[in-house]
Amino acid sequence: MTTGTPNTSDRGAAYLTECAKAVKASVDLPIQAQCEPPDDFAWFDRLHAAGVDSLGMHLEAADPDVRSRIMPGKASVPLDYYFEAFAAAVRVFGRGQVSTYLLAGLGDRAETILAMCDRLIAIGVYPFVVPFVPITGTPLANHPSPSSEFMYPLYQQIGTKLKQAGLSSADIKAGCAKCGACSAISQFE
Ligand code: SF4
């Protein structure tokens, strides 16, 4: 369940809370909510209380320069603030129930992605590393996907890190890492 990035200080958390409540009132489906770090981390408790089982807050890219170039708006939220939010969210949702998208192929070096994965895994956040896929009609329509020579060793090394940390997509209650259709990472855990 996602919102995009609405121009509100709660970053869509209030709307997601209402939506999760309404869905859970009708059907007991596991729900992952996806939003950007809200201004008030009490939203994590409210989302959880509304029935959200897992949370995604997506970095998209790791290197601050790549972030600024690819997504200048989102990059205005500092990485340190994401990490404060990750830590607060893991306290509410639990280790391995908070995840983040990292899109390989937007300009991050493999070492940068791996270092970011180390940092995320250390605090119990699952790094959902996904190869960028261009979409016709978007500003990055002509931006290439990363090669399998880039992705395979990346997956292998992240898989080893996940194994060592005991983080598994199978244990995630809902969401993209649970689905896994956009990434082969679960095959390497
Ligand atoms: S297909 Fe699966 S992994 Fe991809 S965006 Fe949808 S839920 Fe997430």
Side-chain angles (χ1 to χ4, degrees):
M1 190 179 283
T2 189
T3 61
T5 304
N7 187 20
T8 59
S9 61
D10 64 68
R11 311 301 254 170
Y15 183 59
L16 288 166
T17 300
E18 291 309 309
C19 293
K21 250 186 239 169
V23 170
K24 283 280 170 143
S26 297
V27 57
D28 188 21
L29 272 181
I31 297 174
Q32 185 204 37
Q34 306 186 353
C35 62
E36 297 317 306
D39 57 343
D40 180 355
F41 295 160
W43 280 112
F44 299 141
D45 294 297
R46 294 176 196 132
L47 284 161
H48 192 248
V52 172
D53 298 283
S54 62
L55 186 74
M57 291 186 288
H58 302 318
L59 289 171
E60 325 292 3
D63 185 293
D65 291 340
V66 176
R67 290 172 60 76
S68 302
R69 179 164 48 81
I70 296 286
M71 41 179 203
K74 200 166 175 174
S76 67
V77 181
L79 285 172
D80 284 349
Y81 192 67
Y82 268 87
F83 273 86
E84 283 175 37
F86 286 140
V90 168
R91 283 195 288 278
V92 173
F93 292 93
R95 196 170 165 276
Q97 297 302 332
V98 178
S99 58
T100 190
Y101 247 82
L102 282 169
L103 285 161
L106 290 178
D108 279 329
R109 293 183 313 135
E111 300 74 39
T112 311
I113 295 173
L114 288 167
M116 183 59 82
C117 289
D118 280 336
R119 206 175 155 193
L120 291 161
I121 291 169
I123 60 167
V125 174
Y126 187 101
F128 190 56
V129 177
V130 173
F132 168 77
V133 177
I135 296 174
T136 309
T138 64
L140 294 181
N142 297 316
H143 188 95
S145 289
S147 65
S148 52
E149 288 74 26
F150 183 83
M151 289 307 298
Y152 197 89
L154 193 59
Y155 279 146
Q156 280 180 315
Q157 291 173 79
I158 300 165
T160 302
K161 292 173 192 295
L162 288 168
K163 240 182 280 181
Q164 285 167 348
L167 292 183
S168 163
S169 55
D171 296 332
I172 298 177
K173 293 174 187 164
C176 287
K178 181 76 172 180
C179 161
C182 291
S183 168
I185 188 70
S186 65
Q187 306 303 308
F188 294 80
E189 289 170 350

